[in-house]
Amino acid sequence: MLWVAIIGLIMTAVAVTLAARRVLFLYGLATIGPAAPERIEYARKNVGEEIKAQLVEVLGQRKLLKWTASGVAHAFVMWAFLILATVYLEAYGSLIQGAITGTPDFHIPLIGTWAVLGFLQDFIAVAAFLGLIAFAVIRIKNSPKRLGRKSRFSGSHLGGAWLVLFMIFNVIWTMLLFRGAAINTGNLPYASGAFASEGVAALLKPLGASANEVIEHVGLLLHIGVMLVFLVIVVNSKHLHIFTAPLNVMFSRRPDGMGAAQPMRIDGKIVDFEDEDLDGDRLGRGKIEDTTWKGFLDFYTCTECGRCQDQCPAWNTDKPLSPKMLILEQRDHAFKIAPYLMATEEQRADLHEDVLSLLNKPLVGEDGVIHPDVLWSCTNCGACVEQCPVDIEHIDHILDMRRYQVMVESNFPSEAGVMVKNLENKGNPWGMSEMKRADWIEELANRDDPIEIQLIDEKMPEDTEYLFWVGCAGALEDRAKKTTKAVAELLHIAGVKFAVLGPMEACTGDPARRLGMEFLFDMLAKQNIETLNEAGVKKIVATCPHCFNTLANEYPQLGGTFEVVHHTQLLAKLVDEGKLVPVIPIEEKITYHDPCFLGRHNKVYSQPRDIMAKVPGVQTQEMHRHKDRGFCCGAGGARMWMEERLGKRINTERVDEALTTDPDTISTACPFCLVMLGDSINEKKSSGEAKETLEVVDVSQLLIKSIKGQPVGAS
């Protein structure tokens, strides 16, 4: 047995040395970029929440189990890695004890002869084997050779995946081989329970005691050797996520990587645009080395599973953006240029020209790592972040690169430039006069049944509960104004005291921030925060999910903390309290479209549906993609003000899906969605693909219609 121990320990020393060198390289590369102190600080202060995240996300496989078949298979394999660690503990124990005493009958202290553990080890090995079969079937069924772009594995490194499946298979059969022989030699510590090993033992028993002893020794070395080779493969492949996924989950944003866009930082410090010493050339991410260590952790952790790609509205409408490939292309570029980044000045002069040629390759550009069409196709819908099982934050990567392109390179779609100028000069994306923000108020006041809207002069009236944040679309866009008037009338009926800013309201800055124009967002946000604070505003209700998200989640970054609700949340509450009572039936089949910034970004799914459920006569029919898998309308990420020239229009794709439910009405809860879906419906009507009576309305319009018996604005 001494020779077995010597071979095993030599193999271990070689493999651990190779793996350690790779780990040191990965650590060195990740730490060339700026710090991310906020990630460490949050994890340190929220230990309980981080433990819960590990239990739910990592051990519980919450996101993976949303995809039932592959999720269950992955759960089996993941738990096999954890449980079979006890088998390797036994294997090394047998190796050492056999060298010392000549008898490899080691068992783990206290629990090492417990039949339940023996059963669990064999059970998870068999379950993992079944998981491998499931993975193989899934990969063959979804092969890019068969499905092309429709395969979520399109662009993934397929060879490495098959190699890892093969290595896991080798772990399982070598384990059963040496354990089966150990049963026949009397060296397995479990008298019962290890059912699969016992089956193998029955097959090996006729070979005799001597043969089983040799098989046990050889099988033990094979089992350890496979694990060591697997270790080296893992740290050099996408399966590095086995080790980095728990870290990426630990340092991810809570409660998830959506909601607020992150403040811009330089060297870990939040940028102060009023700082005279601000280095304007370091805004955003212009080079791969501008990526924080958390960004590199994202690169290392990507499993190439393609769930993000499968759900991406840009990729699904034949645009070049794949969230998966966005991460992988940065990762691959980082590895290629790593010899330069990690070398000393003296060493750089001797580097191969293939490495030096990469120095002139821009991070974003026509011949860059990331093509501009990839960067500007993103709608910030959050589907990629929602589906990623290892908490990669794709939107943060995109925003950082956009910030550099916009503020340093001045390189962005020309149509968005008009929007930026309008925000700078008029405080709204359309460039309309600020006085136009009060037009809807006059329209309500001049009806046959007039409603007076309280306009804030300087301070919120003492008896006023909410500031109604109307938003640019709600005040200036004709279709969205119907929602504004419906909400105002519903609040009036319910007896809720509210007021509006009118001309004093300016854009929240969401389009500027999502475009990457952080400076303009900072200016608009601070202006609005000052206005709100001076008026004494505490509670806000907003109809636009983009305004809602910015006011609730992003203004606190600049000191503006308010209690913010979306109008569907407030209206659902008023209906539950009996202050709004829908009584008149609306005999229609209605399908609801989830706005991304209301749903995925802020987890508001139930309230709009609750409102529709209370309206008599309404028959609701969900689209195939809904709630956390809902499909974008195409307007987010400042795309509302950019022309959609590539592939199929996203709003057309969404309306095509809505039409499969044969709806009488499509409802939503966002003015951007209202416009985008409405435009597509009008096109469908013109081509005869949609019935003339089909319309898209806000949930509030359905509610007011059921309460009053007529659509808002009809009187």
Side-chain angles (χ1 to χ4, degrees), residues 401-421:
M401 287 186 277
R402 282 187 174 188
R403 285 163 170 170
Y404 184 85
Q405 292 301 303
V406 171
M407 291 189 289
V408 179
E409 297 288 339
S410 297
N411 188 10
F412 54 94
S414 57
E415 318 94 79
V418 176
M419 179 266 289
V420 169
K421 289 180 180 177

Side-chain angles (χ1 to χ4, degrees), residues 164-180:
V164 166
L165 293 183
F166 177 65
M167 291 305 297
I168 297 173
F169 170 69
N170 288 335
V171 168
I172 294 169
W173 76 258
T174 56
M175 165 194 152
L176 296 177
L177 178 68
F178 98 82
R179 282 162 66 93

